[in-house]
Amino acid sequence: MTEIRAIPLWALLLSGCANIEPPSVTPDPAVTAKVRTLSDNDPCSDAFAGVLTAYRIAPDRLSGFDLPPVSRDHPGLPLLRQAWFKLSGGGSLVLGYDADQCLVTDITPRDGAALPAIG
């Protein structure tokens, strides 16, 4: 009987490890304009802006953008990338995304940045 009860417990514990896609909303036009400028009109700019708007990141907080180069080793798999947005108050927000579909998969604060709670 103990083994049967352990199965639902393990399923519950493992479900907490799943990646939850960050929220996205209709992007604020000012955030969109800033993201497009910083990213040199990256094709996924609107997707980035939608997530940054959902977290209420004001355009004046965005001070830089970096897109580290990646190689496409496996053409059949999605191209997963990280877009780094430097913040004027220090730190960065890193958006992980599927570059083929412009789908933001996660957002992570780095170097002392704080991610505002949304609700």
Side-chain angles (χ1 to χ4, degrees), residues 45-56:
S45 292
D46 291 349
F48 301 152
V51 171
L52 294 170
T53 298
Y55 281 95
R56 297 182 308 274

Side-chain angles (χ1 to χ4, degrees), residues 22-72:
S24 183
V25 297
T26 301
D28 177 317
V31 173
T32 301
K34 183 72 173 215
V35 168
R36 285 180 181 168
T37 298
L38 290 173
S39 71
D40 198 25
N41 286 317
D42 185 280
C44 296
S45 292
D46 291 349
F48 301 152
V51 171
L52 294 170
T53 298
Y55 281 95
R56 297 182 308 274
I57 306 298
D60 62 344
R61 289 205 51 215
L62 301 171
S63 64
F65 177 81
D66 186 34
L67 190 62
V70 297
S71 64
R72 186 168 212 135

